[in-house]
Amino acid sequence: MKNNYKNYALSMKALSDETRIKIVEMLSHGELCACKILEAFNITQPTLSYHMKILCDSGLISNRKDGSMTKYSINIENLQELRNFIDIIDENMNTKS
Amino acid sequence: MKNNYKNYALSMKALSDETRIKIVEMLSHGELCACKILEAFNITQPTLSYHMKILCDSGLISNRKDGSMTKYSINIENLQELRNFIDIIDENMNTKS
DNA sequence: AAAACATATTGACAATTATCGATATGTCGA
DNA sequence: TCGACATATCGATAATTGTCAATATGTTTT
């Protein structure tokens, strides 16, 4: 089992902001471009761009260029990684030592 | 399904620090007092106290006084809450809309 | 009651974060 | 090619975070 605490912390940090949590929820229903995401929030375009960068850097989401638009989607494998952490904690708690 | 994004963000923030992630892993093997946790890190006692407060405030861990010691343990229900978030994202992704 | 121990709180500070306006870059349609 | 659109980057700034030394609080031992 990988003891990649630093990676876990990075993913958690990416999700430690309410705006970013909501973005991930939005993307769970399917790929979206930045402009569509922007409509849902009361933030400026540069601020959204900043948040998208953090989410991408964490690996939780991916992006692809489609013409002049950037489309974002969830990276399911990295989300599973996060679940693994919780699973490990859970298993440890249920293990009589 | 509760749309408690603020709560999710709070829990994620509590786990967004490598030290705190490690502390949770330590506690998954059973209750520990602050002094035992402190031994595992290269930080001062006030810094650990600060981290423990953040973890407690998030609800992810609980504490109880035992004489002059404070003993910490994981609050499994709140950890499950976090898993719920991932589960919801997962379900959304697998739902043809 | 005094000393030793365990933990929490306070005040200070450097580093990081979230935000914005301004501007740059790249794409598309007329 | 020019203007409109979509997004990214830059520079500035206020707020938050992680850390420490010093100190306070509460408990146990002698």
Side-chain angles (χ1 to χ4, degrees):
Chain A
M1 218 66 44
K2 62 167 75 167
N3 276 7
N4 211 339
Y5 298 111
K6 197 161 286 183
N7 246 352
Y8 289 139
L10 189 70
S11 294
M12 295 287 188
K13 182 165 294 198
L15 295 176
S16 71
D17 179 275
E18 202 181 341
T19 299
R20 293 195 293 265
I21 287 253
K22 286 180 183 170
I23 291 171
V24 168
E25 201 279 335
M26 288 175 72
L27 292 177
S28 72
H29 295 105
E31 190 183 55
L32 287 172
C33 66
C35 58
K36 274 293 162 199
I37 300 173
L38 186 58
E39 289 174 5
F41 298 97
N42 250 333
I43 57 177
T44 63
Q45 179 270 318
T47 297
L48 178 65
S49 200
Y50 162 79
H51 285 305
M52 299 318 289
K53 182 161 166 43
I54 287 177
L55 284 169
C56 286
D57 286 352
S58 77
L60 289 172
I61 74 174
S62 302
N63 61 9
R64 68 181 182 92
K65 295 296 277 182
D66 180 10
S68 69
M69 299 194 288
T70 307
K71 297 199 168 179
Y72 297 94
S73 55
I74 291 184
N75 215 346
I76 188 66
E77 300 81 17
N78 287 46
L79 204 66
Q80 299 297 359
E81 262 298 303
L82 218 55
R83 195 207 301 265
N84 282 350
F85 172 74
I86 300 177
D87 287 344
I88 290 170
I89 299 301
D90 224 18
E91 280 168 31
N92 288 347
M93 290 183 72
N94 296 323
T95 301
K96 300 278 165 281
S97 54
Chain B
M1 218 65 43
K2 61 167 76 171
N3 275 8
N4 209 341
Y5 299 112
K6 197 161 284 182
N7 245 354
Y8 288 140
L10 190 71
S11 293
M12 295 289 188
K13 181 165 293 196
L15 295 175
S16 71
D17 179 275
E18 202 180 341
T19 299
R20 293 195 293 265
I21 288 255
K22 286 182 183 168
I23 290 171
V24 168
E25 201 278 334
M26 288 176 73
L27 291 177
S28 72
H29 295 104
E31 190 183 56
L32 287 173
C33 66
C35 58
K36 273 293 163 198
I37 299 172
L38 185 59
E39 288 174 6
F41 299 96
N42 250 334
I43 57 177
T44 63
Q45 179 269 320
T47 296
L48 178 65
S49 200
Y50 162 80
H51 285 305
M52 299 318 288
K53 181 163 167 40
I54 287 177
L55 284 169
C56 286
D57 286 352
S58 78
L60 288 172
I61 72 173
S62 303
N63 60 19
R64 67 179 182 92
K65 294 295 279 185
D66 180 9
S68 68
M69 298 193 292
T70 306
K71 297 198 166 178
Y72 298 93
S73 56
I74 290 184
N75 214 346
I76 188 67
E77 300 82 16
N78 288 46
L79 203 67
Q80 299 298 359
E81 262 299 301
L82 216 56
R83 195 207 301 263
N84 282 350
F85 172 75
I86 300 177
D87 287 344
I88 289 170
I89 300 301
D90 224 18
E91 281 168 29
N92 288 346
M93 290 184 72
N94 294 326
T95 300
K96 299 277 166 278
S97 56

